[in-house]
Amino acid sequence: MGTNNLDLTNRPCKILVVDDEPDLEPLMLQRMRRAIRSGRYTFVFARNGVEALERLNEEQDIDMVLSDINMPQMDGLTLLQQIPKVDPNIRSVIISAYGDMKNIRTAMNRGAFDFVTKPLDFKDLRITIERTVQHMMEWREALASRDKLVALQNELNVANQMQQSILPSQFPKGSDYEVSASMEAARNVGGDFYDVIHLHEGRVGLAIADVSDKGVPAALFMMSSRTLLKGAAIGTLDPGRVLGEVNNLLDEDNDAAMFVTLLYAVYNPATGSLTYANGGHNAPLVVHADGRSSLLPLTHGIALGVIPDLDFLENTVVLSPGDTVIFYTDGVTEAMDDDGEEFGTERLFEIFADGPPKDSEEANNAVFKAVRDFVGDTPQSDDITCMVLYRKESDR
Amino acid sequence: MEVHAERDGGALIAQAAGRIDGSNAREFESALRATLSKQDSALILDMQSLSYISSAGLRVILMVAKMLQRRGGKFMVCSLSESIDEVFEISGFNRIIPTHATRSEALAALGE
């Protein structure tokens, strides 16, 4: 079943009349001449069920069948069973002898939309045809919007799959540090991602990002951001240079004005030093081993893809054993409860008010639990993403 | 989300109210485009009544800013709430889009 020719408002409705009575054809054309002339209906004719099926197969755009019951070769009741195999959206009206309830019941049970009785009352026939056409148009509109909905859903699924496919599933769990990360995708949005990149000299690159907008174009932008980042990261250990390079590449041909906020950090497990540059992303939270918490200072970078030739400042902090860095997207801090209140940075601090986490997994789970407890049943409007770097207590 | 437009001298002032997120960023975009005529060379987006804007909304702002820049026009925002001001600060948008505390300050800056 195709979706072409669905719109009956722009073309006449094509009706196949099936009757072994040769006089019906000129009579029908004569009595329906006004509707034919005004372009509302066109008629095609067949003399029995077999011919009718031939017509239906030849002419793909027949909308409605008006058929007699008693005919040679193939009768109307048998034809009724065959029509849906050609096109389940064709509606049929049966012409029966007056009072022949048995055949009328059989026809209705076999899917006839309505019936008219002989001798034909053309006024009644016109009303019946009009009613059938009306029903068909509504049915087709419903089909078309269902198809649109399915297409939209497919697009969102594609975007979601793209997003899921680029997220790493393996995280470093070394003797001196470990990483955990997860993302809860919102139903209709897909823009967050994170990445863990193994660099030379034992360093590891950590990225967290949020692409503006949603759907397939945003997912494609996310894919290229991530690919460009990986490419740039391999070449240097300077996060600022990496962001500068990715920014210039993303800015080319970016007519849709999409952008990505991206924080990229290079961690050196040997010294605990973490050097980062920030393209417009939320400042990560550091939970120190002694229980204090603070946000990593902002380095005042602009989101990537907005304007070319930017310099991204770097900052370096040194993690002590037992320190935890929590990278997150605004899906965490802007998660809303039923009253429209945001989760906020304060609540992020409060998660670890009773003491620092024991490992990266625990910290990651604690963030998601706190957000979930806060929002309750309120539908999630943005991706929620969190990535945790934990420097282990030395050589236990 | 609602957008109301008015004119003050040569400047078009668009007032956005409510929330702008991924679900209505497209509406916000068409509403802004609809208020802006070909002759307009200055647009002030007043965010007094805007409670929230997501990155999808920022993208629309960036698009309008770039569009006006291409035709040699001016674009600025004013009356940002504390949380929206923070969004502008973190994303770095406050360094590429002029922001003003009040509408009259924005109008004064346009006149300069």
Side-chain angles (χ1 to χ4, degrees):
Chain A
M1 139 188 72
T3 48
N4 49 336
N5 289 324
L6 275 184
D7 189 5
L8 285 178
T9 52
N10 292 326
R11 64 177 181 91
C13 173
K14 199 175 212 176
I15 303 167
L16 172 64
V17 181
V18 194
D19 199 320
D20 57 338
E21 192 64 60
D23 295 346
L24 186 63
E25 180 168 339
L27 184 65
M28 189 71 80
L29 292 175
Q30 204 265 331
R31 301 301 296 265
M32 296 289 182
R33 63 187 182 281
R34 230 178 276 162
I36 295 170
R37 223 182 294 139
S38 70
R40 185 131 184 89
Y41 306 140
T42 57
F43 289 92
V44 283
F45 295 88
R47 289 290 155 77
N48 58 58
V50 176
E51 263 188 42
L53 284 177
E54 283 170 12
R55 288 284 163 289
L56 284 169
N57 283 313
E58 283 163 18
E59 315 201 16
Q60 297 284 319
D61 54 350
I62 289 171
D63 301 295
M64 176 181 162
V65 174
L66 179 65
S67 176
D68 191 18
I69 291 180
N70 294 314
M71 294 177 294
Q73 291 192 55
M74 186 194 284
D75 66 17
L77 295 176
T78 313
L79 175 64
L80 267 182
Q81 291 176 308
Q82 300 299 316
I83 290 172
K85 295 176 188 166
V86 180
D87 183 345
N89 296 315
I90 293 174
R91 292 287 172 270
S92 308
V93 172
I94 281 294
I95 307 169
S96 89
Y98 181 79
D100 185 2
M101 281 316 287
K102 187 168 174 285
N103 274 334
I104 290 171
R105 283 305 314 154
T106 308
M108 297 304 276
N109 287 338
R110 290 185 180 180
F113 178 73
D114 204 345
F115 65 94
V116 288
T117 54
K118 282 180 177 174
L120 278 177
D121 170 351
F122 278 89
K123 191 180 164 209
D124 179 50
L125 182 61
R126 259 183 231 115
I127 293 170
T128 307
I129 291 177
E130 205 43 50
R131 208 173 71 85
T132 311
V133 168
Q134 197 59 42
H135 166 84
M136 216 152 44
M137 283 169 75
E138 282 164 15
W139 169 252
R140 288 180 177 188
E141 265 168 39
L143 278 184
S145 40
R146 185 202 60 181
D147 287 349
K148 253 186 230 159
L149 207 65
V150 168
L152 196 67
Q153 196 53 51
N154 285 343
E155 185 181 315
L156 290 171
N157 287 343
V158 167
N160 273 339
Q161 281 165 15
M162 283 163 78
Q163 185 181 24
Q164 292 293 344
S165 71
I166 68 167
L167 298 177
S169 51
Q170 300 272 319
F171 300 105
K173 305 273 182 218
S175 60
D176 43 7
Y177 80 104
E178 57 176 35
V179 176
S180 292
S182 46
M183 182 196 66
E184 275 181 18
R187 222 164 63 89
N188 290 340
V189 188
D192 286 7
F193 74 94
Y194 50 79
D195 208 356
V196 180
I197 307 164
H198 293 281
L199 306 169
H200 51 85
E201 296 169 36
R203 321 262 167 114
V204 61
L206 300 166
I208 187 153
D210 183 356
V211 172
S212 61
D213 215 14
K214 58 175 178 173
V216 169
L220 286 169
F221 194 79
M222 176 173 67
M223 297 282 264
S224 46
S225 304
R226 187 257 191 170
T227 309
L228 294 172
L229 174 74
K230 246 197 166 88
I234 299 299
T236 168
L237 292 174
D238 298 341
R241 274 180 58 190
V242 171
L243 291 195
E245 199 171 309
V246 175
N247 179 51
N248 285 345
L249 291 167
L250 283 179
D251 184 69
E252 289 171 14
D253 307 318
N254 183 13
D255 293 335
M258 264 189 247
F259 64 87
V260 57
T261 68
L262 201 167
L263 187 137
Y264 179 62
V266 174
Y267 180 63
N268 183 355
T271 62
S273 97
L274 182 76
T275 303
Y276 63 94
N278 190 349
H281 199 82
N282 303 63
L285 175 77
V286 186
V287 184
H288 299 279
D290 63 10
R292 287 177 305 117
S293 300
S294 58
L295 292 178
L296 283 182
L298 282 175
T299 50
H300 301 290
I302 296 173
L304 311 187
V306 175
I307 35 173
D309 304 324
L310 289 175
D311 288 327
F312 290 89
L313 298 179
E314 292 176 2
N315 190 39
T316 299
V317 292
V318 179
L319 302 183
S320 303
D323 281 0
T324 312
V325 185
I326 294 168
F327 305 83
Y328 57 91
T329 59
D330 58 8
V332 171
T333 43
E334 289 171 12
M336 264 181 210
D337 69 2
D338 217 15
D339 302 324
E341 195 181 335
E342 290 183 7
F343 185 77
T345 319
E346 287 302 312
R347 285 190 182 81
L348 195 62
F349 276 94
E350 280 168 24
I351 299 174
F352 303 102
D354 295 337
K358 309 265 179 314
D359 56 47
S360 61
E361 185 93 27
E362 184 192 309
N364 198 48
N365 291 342
V367 171
F368 279 95
K369 183 179 183 304
V371 173
R372 228 175 277 128
D373 289 350
F374 175 75
V375 299
D377 296 331
T378 314
Q380 183 185 341
S381 69
D382 199 358
D383 296 345
I384 298 174
T385 305
C386 180
M387 179 170 69
V388 178
L389 165 68
Y390 178 72
R391 184 176 188 198
K392 291 187 173 179
E393 302 280 1
S394 47
D395 304 312
R396 278 168 300 179
Chain B
M1 190 274 303
E2 276 174 66
V3 175
H4 295 286
E6 55 188 277
R7 277 168 209 285
D8 190 315
L12 178 69
I13 300 165
Q15 191 158 8
R19 277 175 60 87
I20 301 169
D21 58 24
S23 72
N24 60 14
R26 301 249 184 261
E27 285 167 52
F28 176 53
E29 184 183 336
S30 15
L32 271 187
R33 280 182 189 278
T35 60
L36 207 60
S37 75
K38 284 226 160 29
Q39 291 79 41
D40 281 312
S41 63
L43 173 66
I44 297 172
L45 183 63
D46 187 334
M47 298 185 157
Q48 171 96 53
S49 314
L50 196 65
S51 59
Y52 174 81
I53 186 159
S54 79
S55 57
L58 289 182
R59 189 185 137 251
V60 175
I61 288 181
L62 180 62
M63 210 145 60
V64 172
K66 284 188 168 180
M67 189 173 78
L68 277 161
Q69 193 184 31
R70 272 196 297 273
R71 59 163 97 151
K74 284 182 181 168
F75 176 73
M76 44 185 71
V77 294
C78 71
S79 316
L80 284 70
S81 70
E82 201 180 316
S83 60
I84 292 177
D85 192 55
E86 200 182 304
V87 169
F88 268 69
E89 165 77 27
I90 291 173
S91 60
F93 267 55
N94 60 352
R95 262 151 282 138
I96 46 173
I97 292 168
T99 59
H100 297 279
T102 62
R103 187 188 287 202
S104 47
E105 272 183 33
L107 281 167
L110 263 190
E112 281 164 14

